[in-house]
Amino acid sequence: ELSATVAAAVAQRAMDGGADAATITPEVSAAAASSGVPESDAAQAAVNATQQIVGARLQTVAQAALRVGANVVEVAQRVQSAARALGLADAEAATLVSKET
Protein backbone atom coordinates (compact mmCIF):
# COMPACT_ATOMS: atom_id res chain seq x y z
CA GLU A 1 0.00 0.00 0.00
CA LEU A 2 1.27 3.45 -0.92
CA SER A 3 0.95 5.01 2.52
CA ALA A 4 2.99 2.23 4.14
CA THR A 5 5.63 2.35 1.41
CA VAL A 6 6.00 6.12 1.59
CA ALA A 7 6.01 6.06 5.39
CA ALA A 8 8.67 3.36 5.59
CA ALA A 9 10.97 5.14 3.14
CA VAL A 10 10.67 8.51 4.87
CA ALA A 11 11.08 6.96 8.33
CA GLN A 12 14.24 5.15 7.24
CA ARG A 13 15.69 8.30 5.69
CA ALA A 14 14.90 10.32 8.83
CA MET A 15 16.43 7.68 11.12
CA ASP A 16 19.54 7.46 8.96
CA GLY A 17 19.79 11.24 9.19
CA GLY A 18 19.86 11.06 12.97
CA ALA A 19 16.27 12.09 13.70
CA ASP A 20 14.71 10.99 16.96
CA ALA A 21 11.33 9.30 17.28
CA ALA A 22 9.49 12.54 18.02
CA THR A 23 10.80 14.06 14.79
CA ILE A 24 10.26 11.03 12.58
CA THR A 25 6.50 10.65 13.06
CA PRO A 26 5.53 14.18 11.93
CA GLU A 27 7.98 14.01 9.00
CA VAL A 28 6.51 10.72 7.86
CA SER A 29 2.95 11.93 8.28
CA ALA A 30 3.61 15.08 6.26
CA ALA A 31 5.36 13.16 3.48
CA ALA A 32 2.57 10.61 3.24
CA ALA A 33 -0.08 13.34 3.19
CA SER A 34 1.79 15.26 0.48
CA SER A 35 1.86 12.05 -1.55
CA GLY A 36 -1.92 12.05 -1.65
CA VAL A 37 -2.54 9.69 1.23
CA PRO A 38 -5.63 10.71 3.26
CA GLU A 39 -4.66 12.49 6.48
CA SER A 40 -5.99 9.79 8.81
CA ASP A 41 -4.17 7.07 6.85
CA ALA A 42 -1.01 9.17 6.77
CA ALA A 43 -1.05 9.61 10.55
CA GLN A 44 -1.48 5.88 11.19
CA ALA A 45 1.15 5.00 8.59
CA ALA A 46 3.54 7.42 10.31
CA VAL A 47 3.02 5.84 13.72
CA ASN A 48 3.43 2.33 12.31
CA ALA A 49 6.55 3.21 10.33
CA THR A 50 8.13 4.99 13.30
CA GLN A 51 7.50 2.01 15.56
CA GLN A 52 8.94 -0.37 12.97
CA ILE A 53 12.07 1.65 12.28
CA VAL A 54 12.76 2.31 15.97
CA GLY A 55 12.14 -1.36 16.79
CA ALA A 56 14.51 -2.43 14.02
CA ARG A 57 17.21 -0.07 15.27
CA LEU A 58 16.86 -1.37 18.83
CA GLN A 59 16.96 -4.95 17.60
CA THR A 60 20.21 -4.14 15.83
CA VAL A 61 21.61 -2.77 19.10
CA ALA A 62 20.54 -5.93 20.95
CA GLN A 63 22.08 -8.21 18.32
CA ALA A 64 25.35 -6.28 18.35
CA ALA A 65 25.52 -6.54 22.13
CA LEU A 66 24.91 -10.28 21.99
CA ARG A 67 27.62 -10.71 19.35
CA VAL A 68 30.20 -9.22 21.70
CA GLY A 69 29.12 -11.50 24.54
CA ALA A 70 26.94 -9.17 26.59
CA ASN A 71 24.69 -10.84 29.14
CA VAL A 72 20.93 -10.20 29.27
CA VAL A 73 21.25 -7.31 31.72
CA GLU A 74 23.91 -5.62 29.60
CA VAL A 75 21.83 -6.11 26.46
CA ALA A 76 18.82 -4.54 28.16
CA GLN A 77 20.93 -1.60 29.34
CA ARG A 78 22.31 -1.00 25.85
CA VAL A 79 18.86 -1.21 24.27
CA GLN A 80 17.43 1.16 26.87
CA SER A 81 20.27 3.63 26.28
CA ALA A 82 19.65 3.48 22.54
CA ALA A 83 15.91 3.99 23.08
CA ARG A 84 16.59 7.08 25.18
CA ALA A 85 19.00 8.38 22.54
CA LEU A 86 16.18 8.03 20.02
CA GLY A 87 14.06 10.28 22.21
CA LEU A 88 11.75 7.71 23.72
CA ALA A 89 10.30 8.27 27.15
CA ASP A 90 11.33 5.80 29.84
CA ALA A 91 7.99 3.95 29.65
CA GLU A 92 8.28 3.57 25.88
CA ALA A 93 11.91 2.53 26.21
CA ALA A 94 11.05 -0.08 28.82
CA THR A 95 8.33 -1.54 26.60
CA LEU A 96 10.67 -1.77 23.63
CA VAL A 97 13.49 -3.19 25.77
CA SER A 98 11.22 -5.98 26.93
CA LYS A 99 10.30 -6.73 23.29
CA GLU A 100 13.88 -6.66 22.03
CA THR A 101 15.62 -8.60 24.81
Side-chain angles (χ1 to χ4, degrees), residues 3-100:
S3 60
T5 303
V6 169
V10 173
Q12 184 65 54
R13 184 182 68 212
M15 178 67 72
D16 290 348
D20 64 14
T23 304
I24 293 170
T25 301
E27 283 185 27
V28 172
S29 185
S34 71
S35 297
V37 175
E39 191 173 323
S40 61
D41 292 343
Q44 187 58 51
V47 169
N48 293 344
T50 301
Q51 289 174 344
Q52 287 179 332
I53 198 71
V54 168
R57 182 63 53 97
L58 296 179
Q59 186 175 35
T60 299
V61 169
Q63 290 170 345
L66 289 170
R67 277 194 298 274
V68 297
N71 64 36
V72 175
V73 172
E74 293 166 334
V75 171
Q77 289 170 341
R78 290 181 190 194
V79 171
Q80 190 160 22
S81 288
R84 285 186 185 133
L86 292 171
L88 299 178
D90 283 341
E92 292 173 303
T95 299
L96 288 169
V97 166
S98 67
K99 287 181 183 178
E100 301 303 332

